[in-house]
mmCIF file of all heavy atoms in Angstrom:
data_model
loop_
_atom_site.group_PDB
_atom_site.id
_atom_site.type_symbol
_atom_site.label_atom_id
_atom_site.label_comp_id
_atom_site.label_asym_id
_atom_site.label_seq_id
_atom_site.Cartn_x
_atom_site.Cartn_y
_atom_site.Cartn_z
ATOM 1 N N VAL A 135 159.015 50.649 185.325
ATOM 2 C CA VAL A 135 159.580 51.988 185.146
ATOM 3 C C VAL A 135 158.800 53.061 185.896
ATOM 4 O O VAL A 135 159.088 54.252 185.744
ATOM 5 C CB VAL A 135 159.689 52.365 183.650
ATOM 6 C CG1 VAL A 135 160.655 51.436 182.935
ATOM 7 C CG2 VAL A 135 158.327 52.362 182.968
ATOM 8 N N GLN A 136 157.840 52.657 186.724
ATOM 9 C CA GLN A 136 157.164 53.632 187.573
ATOM 10 C C GLN A 136 158.078 54.128 188.682
ATOM 11 O O GLN A 136 157.793 55.133 189.346
ATOM 12 C CB GLN A 136 155.889 53.026 188.166
ATOM 13 C CG GLN A 136 154.835 52.660 187.122
ATOM 14 C CD GLN A 136 154.493 53.807 186.200
ATOM 15 O OE1 GLN A 136 154.128 54.905 186.646
ATOM 16 N NE2 GLN A 136 154.640 53.575 184.891
ATOM 17 N N THR A 137 159.176 53.431 188.873
ATOM 18 C CA THR A 137 160.230 53.880 189.764
ATOM 19 C C THR A 137 161.566 53.660 189.050
ATOM 20 O O THR A 137 161.672 52.802 188.166
ATOM 21 C CB THR A 137 160.237 53.118 191.101
ATOM 22 O OG1 THR A 137 160.391 51.715 190.834
ATOM 23 C CG2 THR A 137 158.948 53.356 191.877
ATOM 24 N N ALA A 138 162.566 54.424 189.415
ATOM 25 C CA ALA A 138 163.895 54.263 188.832
ATOM 26 C C ALA A 138 164.657 53.222 189.632
ATOM 27 O O ALA A 138 164.958 53.428 190.813
ATOM 28 C CB ALA A 138 164.636 55.592 188.829
ATOM 29 N N ASP A 139 164.944 52.085 189.010
ATOM 30 C CA ASP A 139 165.614 50.980 189.679
ATOM 31 C C ASP A 139 166.576 50.336 188.692
ATOM 32 O O ASP A 139 166.151 49.732 187.700
ATOM 33 C CB ASP A 139 164.578 49.968 190.179
ATOM 34 C CG ASP A 139 165.203 48.822 190.951
ATOM 35 O OD1 ASP A 139 166.446 48.737 191.022
ATOM 36 O OD2 ASP A 139 164.445 47.994 191.493
ATOM 37 N N ALA A 140 167.853 50.442 188.962
ATOM 38 C CA ALA A 140 168.859 49.927 188.033
ATOM 39 C C ALA A 140 168.980 48.414 188.065
ATOM 40 O O ALA A 140 169.699 47.833 187.239
ATOM 41 C CB ALA A 140 170.216 50.554 188.345
ATOM 42 N N SER A 141 168.262 47.758 188.980
ATOM 43 C CA SER A 141 168.409 46.306 189.109
ATOM 44 C C SER A 141 167.381 45.510 188.317
ATOM 45 O O SER A 141 167.508 44.292 188.191
ATOM 46 C CB SER A 141 168.319 45.906 190.586
ATOM 47 O OG SER A 141 167.017 46.179 191.099
ATOM 48 N N ASP A 142 166.347 46.182 187.765
ATOM 49 C CA ASP A 142 165.332 45.438 187.027
ATOM 50 C C ASP A 142 165.672 45.399 185.536
ATOM 51 O O ASP A 142 166.706 45.895 185.108
ATOM 52 C CB ASP A 142 163.928 46.003 187.278
ATOM 53 C CG ASP A 142 163.808 47.473 186.903
ATOM 54 O OD1 ASP A 142 164.526 47.905 185.968
ATOM 55 O OD2 ASP A 142 163.004 48.192 187.525
ATOM 56 N N ASN A 143 164.770 44.813 184.748
ATOM 57 C CA ASN A 143 165.074 44.614 183.325
ATOM 58 C C ASN A 143 164.418 45.656 182.431
ATOM 59 O O ASN A 143 164.233 45.428 181.232
ATOM 60 C CB ASN A 143 164.647 43.214 182.877
ATOM 61 C CG ASN A 143 163.136 43.068 182.777
ATOM 62 O OD1 ASN A 143 162.410 43.695 183.550
ATOM 63 N ND2 ASN A 143 162.666 42.269 181.839
ATOM 64 N N ALA A 144 164.047 46.814 182.986
ATOM 65 C CA ALA A 144 163.427 47.877 182.200
ATOM 66 C C ALA A 144 163.977 49.223 182.644
ATOM 67 O O ALA A 144 164.377 49.399 183.803
ATOM 68 C CB ALA A 144 161.904 47.847 182.352
ATOM 69 N N ALA A 145 163.995 50.172 181.716
ATOM 70 C CA ALA A 145 164.510 51.500 182.035
ATOM 71 C C ALA A 145 163.813 52.537 181.174
ATOM 72 O O ALA A 145 163.554 52.299 179.981
ATOM 73 C CB ALA A 145 166.023 51.567 181.813
ATOM 74 N N ARG A 146 163.522 53.667 181.771
ATOM 75 C CA ARG A 146 163.011 54.797 181.020
ATOM 76 C C ARG A 146 164.218 55.550 180.487
ATOM 77 O O ARG A 146 165.168 55.840 181.239
ATOM 78 C CB ARG A 146 162.169 55.683 181.939
ATOM 79 C CG ARG A 146 161.172 56.580 181.244
ATOM 80 C CD ARG A 146 160.012 55.834 180.686
ATOM 81 N NE ARG A 146 158.948 56.773 180.247
ATOM 82 C CZ ARG A 146 158.248 56.628 179.152
ATOM 83 N NH1 ARG A 146 158.464 55.590 178.357
ATOM 84 N NH2 ARG A 146 157.318 57.492 178.825
ATOM 85 N N ILE A 147 164.221 55.861 179.194
ATOM 86 C CA ILE A 147 165.379 56.485 178.560
ATOM 87 C C ILE A 147 164.952 57.762 177.851
ATOM 88 O O ILE A 147 163.788 57.909 177.466
ATOM 89 C CB ILE A 147 166.071 55.513 177.591
ATOM 90 C CG1 ILE A 147 165.108 55.073 176.475
ATOM 91 C CG2 ILE A 147 166.601 54.300 178.339
ATOM 92 C CD1 ILE A 147 165.730 54.122 175.461
ATOM 93 N N MET A 148 165.901 58.683 177.669
ATOM 94 C CA MET A 148 165.557 60.000 177.124
ATOM 95 C C MET A 148 166.728 60.582 176.344
ATOM 96 O O MET A 148 167.892 60.394 176.703
ATOM 97 C CB MET A 148 165.171 60.936 178.275
ATOM 98 C CG MET A 148 165.002 62.400 177.923
ATOM 99 S SD MET A 148 164.372 63.314 179.373
ATOM 100 C CE MET A 148 165.039 64.941 179.066
ATOM 101 N N THR A 149 166.403 61.299 175.269
ATOM 102 C CA THR A 149 167.412 62.041 174.515
ATOM 103 C C THR A 149 166.898 63.439 174.231
ATOM 104 O O THR A 149 165.699 63.637 174.004
ATOM 105 C CB THR A 149 167.771 61.323 173.191
ATOM 106 O OG1 THR A 149 168.772 62.081 172.493
ATOM 107 C CG2 THR A 149 166.564 61.155 172.291
ATOM 108 N N VAL A 150 167.812 64.426 174.248
ATOM 109 C CA VAL A 150 167.417 65.798 173.953
ATOM 110 C C VAL A 150 168.623 66.573 173.423
ATOM 111 O O VAL A 150 169.737 66.448 173.933
ATOM 112 C CB VAL A 150 166.823 66.506 175.197
ATOM 113 C CG1 VAL A 150 167.827 66.596 176.342
ATOM 114 C CG2 VAL A 150 166.302 67.899 174.842
ATOM 115 N N ASN A 151 168.394 67.339 172.373
ATOM 116 C CA ASN A 151 169.379 68.287 171.853
ATOM 117 C C ASN A 151 169.192 69.594 172.616
ATOM 118 O O ASN A 151 168.105 70.178 172.611
ATOM 119 C CB ASN A 151 169.154 68.498 170.354
ATOM 120 C CG ASN A 151 170.164 69.433 169.726
ATOM 121 O OD1 ASN A 151 170.549 70.441 170.300
ATOM 122 N ND2 ASN A 151 170.584 69.125 168.510
ATOM 123 N N THR A 152 170.247 70.091 173.262
ATOM 124 C CA THR A 152 170.118 71.238 174.165
ATOM 125 C C THR A 152 170.353 72.600 173.494
ATOM 126 O O THR A 152 170.451 73.607 174.180
ATOM 127 C CB THR A 152 171.078 71.114 175.357
ATOM 128 O OG1 THR A 152 172.422 71.350 174.917
ATOM 129 C CG2 THR A 152 170.984 69.745 176.003
ATOM 130 N N LEU A 153 170.443 72.619 172.159
ATOM 131 C CA LEU A 153 170.670 73.873 171.420
ATOM 132 C C LEU A 153 171.908 74.595 171.947
ATOM 133 O O LEU A 153 171.862 75.716 172.439
ATOM 134 C CB LEU A 153 169.445 74.789 171.489
ATOM 135 C CG LEU A 153 169.490 76.045 170.605
ATOM 136 C CD1 LEU A 153 169.649 75.687 169.137
ATOM 137 C CD2 LEU A 153 168.238 76.896 170.799
ATOM 138 N N ASN A 154 173.030 73.895 171.855
ATOM 139 C CA ASN A 154 174.319 74.442 172.264
ATOM 140 C C ASN A 154 174.326 74.893 173.717
ATOM 141 O O ASN A 154 174.978 75.863 174.087
ATOM 142 C CB ASN A 154 174.735 75.601 171.349
ATOM 143 C CG ASN A 154 176.241 75.803 171.340
ATOM 144 O OD1 ASN A 154 177.002 74.867 171.585
ATOM 145 N ND2 ASN A 154 176.675 77.028 171.074
ATOM 146 N N GLY A 155 173.564 74.167 174.548
ATOM 147 C CA GLY A 155 173.583 74.431 175.975
ATOM 148 C C GLY A 155 172.578 75.440 176.478
ATOM 149 O O GLY A 155 172.573 75.771 177.666
ATOM 150 N N TYR A 156 171.689 75.924 175.607
ATOM 151 C CA TYR A 156 170.702 76.919 176.031
ATOM 152 C C TYR A 156 169.457 76.299 176.665
ATOM 153 O O TYR A 156 168.601 77.016 177.187
ATOM 154 C CB TYR A 156 170.290 77.803 174.846
ATOM 155 C CG TYR A 156 171.358 78.775 174.426
ATOM 156 C CD1 TYR A 156 172.086 78.561 173.245
ATOM 157 C CD2 TYR A 156 171.677 79.876 175.197
ATOM 158 C CE1 TYR A 156 173.089 79.432 172.857
ATOM 159 C CE2 TYR A 156 172.682 80.756 174.824
ATOM 160 C CZ TYR A 156 173.381 80.539 173.651
ATOM 161 O OH TYR A 156 174.380 81.397 173.270
ATOM 162 N N ALA A 157 169.332 74.989 176.628
ATOM 163 C CA ALA A 157 168.178 74.341 177.254
ATOM 164 C C ALA A 157 168.207 74.556 178.758
ATOM 165 O O ALA A 157 169.263 74.744 179.376
ATOM 166 C CB ALA A 157 168.188 72.851 176.934
ATOM 167 N N ASP A 158 167.031 74.522 179.348
ATOM 168 C CA ASP A 158 166.887 74.721 180.790
ATOM 169 C C ASP A 158 167.356 73.457 181.507
ATOM 170 O O ASP A 158 166.661 72.439 181.527
ATOM 171 C CB ASP A 158 165.420 75.014 181.111
ATOM 172 C CG ASP A 158 165.197 75.398 182.564
ATOM 173 O OD1 ASP A 158 165.941 74.896 183.440
ATOM 174 O OD2 ASP A 158 164.261 76.178 182.844
ATOM 175 N N ALA A 159 168.545 73.517 182.101
ATOM 176 C CA ALA A 159 169.131 72.340 182.747
ATOM 177 C C ALA A 159 168.287 71.872 183.925
ATOM 178 O O ALA A 159 168.115 70.664 184.133
ATOM 179 C CB ALA A 159 170.554 72.653 183.206
ATOM 180 N N ALA A 160 167.758 72.815 184.683
ATOM 181 C CA ALA A 160 166.932 72.439 185.827
ATOM 182 C C ALA A 160 165.684 71.682 185.378
ATOM 183 O O ALA A 160 165.256 70.722 186.037
ATOM 184 C CB ALA A 160 166.546 73.684 186.622
ATOM 185 N N GLN A 161 165.107 72.096 184.255
ATOM 186 C CA GLN A 161 163.928 71.397 183.749
ATOM 187 C C GLN A 161 164.284 69.994 183.272
ATOM 188 O O GLN A 161 163.523 69.045 183.478
ATOM 189 C CB GLN A 161 163.279 72.188 182.621
ATOM 190 C CG GLN A 161 161.970 71.564 182.130
ATOM 191 C CD GLN A 161 161.360 72.291 180.950
ATOM 192 O OE1 GLN A 161 161.904 73.287 180.458
ATOM 193 N NE2 GLN A 161 160.223 71.810 180.482
ATOM 194 N N ILE A 162 165.445 69.849 182.622
ATOM 195 C CA ILE A 162 165.883 68.524 182.182
ATOM 196 C C ILE A 162 166.016 67.580 183.374
ATOM 197 O O ILE A 162 165.547 66.442 183.351
ATOM 198 C CB ILE A 162 167.213 68.623 181.414
ATOM 199 C CG1 ILE A 162 167.006 69.337 180.077
ATOM 200 C CG2 ILE A 162 167.810 67.231 181.186
ATOM 201 C CD1 ILE A 162 168.279 69.578 179.307
ATOM 202 N N VAL A 163 166.638 68.079 184.456
ATOM 203 C CA VAL A 163 166.793 67.253 185.654
ATOM 204 C C VAL A 163 165.436 66.914 186.261
ATOM 205 O O VAL A 163 165.197 65.780 186.691
ATOM 206 C CB VAL A 163 167.703 67.951 186.682
ATOM 207 C CG1 VAL A 163 167.740 67.169 187.990
ATOM 208 C CG2 VAL A 163 169.113 68.105 186.125
ATOM 209 N N GLN A 164 164.523 67.885 186.257
ATOM 210 C CA GLN A 164 163.193 67.640 186.818
ATOM 211 C C GLN A 164 162.428 66.606 185.986
ATOM 212 O O GLN A 164 161.727 65.754 186.530
ATOM 213 C CB GLN A 164 162.399 68.941 186.910
ATOM 214 C CG GLN A 164 161.092 68.813 187.688
ATOM 215 C CD GLN A 164 161.316 68.332 189.115
ATOM 216 O OE1 GLN A 164 162.169 68.862 189.837
ATOM 217 N NE2 GLN A 164 160.579 67.305 189.522
ATOM 218 N N ILE A 165 162.569 66.678 184.659
ATOM 219 C CA ILE A 165 161.934 65.673 183.801
ATOM 220 C C ILE A 165 162.499 64.293 184.120
ATOM 221 O O ILE A 165 161.757 63.303 184.193
ATOM 222 C CB ILE A 165 162.150 66.020 182.309
ATOM 223 C CG1 ILE A 165 161.369 67.281 181.935
ATOM 224 C CG2 ILE A 165 161.716 64.854 181.418
ATOM 225 C CD1 ILE A 165 161.686 67.807 180.550
ATOM 226 N N CYS A 166 163.812 64.223 184.335
ATOM 227 C CA CYS A 166 164.430 62.945 184.696
ATOM 228 C C CYS A 166 163.840 62.401 185.997
ATOM 229 O O CYS A 166 163.600 61.194 186.126
ATOM 230 C CB CYS A 166 165.944 63.098 184.822
ATOM 231 S SG CYS A 166 166.804 63.364 183.254
#
């Protein structure tokens, strides 16, 4: 998971409640 690769057997996963859309979308994408 040190790299994002859909072909291996591991994945980094994430969940977040965005408070009705007020979360910083750019930050969420950057975290991803």
Side-chain angles (χ1 to χ4, degrees):
V135 296
Q136 296 307 306
T137 58
D139 183 354
S141 65
D142 58 30
N143 72 327
R146 202 72 169 139
I147 60 179
M148 170 174 152
T149 181
V150 61
N151 182 320
T152 73
L153 188 59
N154 204 26
Y156 287 106
D158 187 328
Q161 185 184 0
I162 292 175
V163 174
Q164 189 59 49
I165 292 171
C166 290

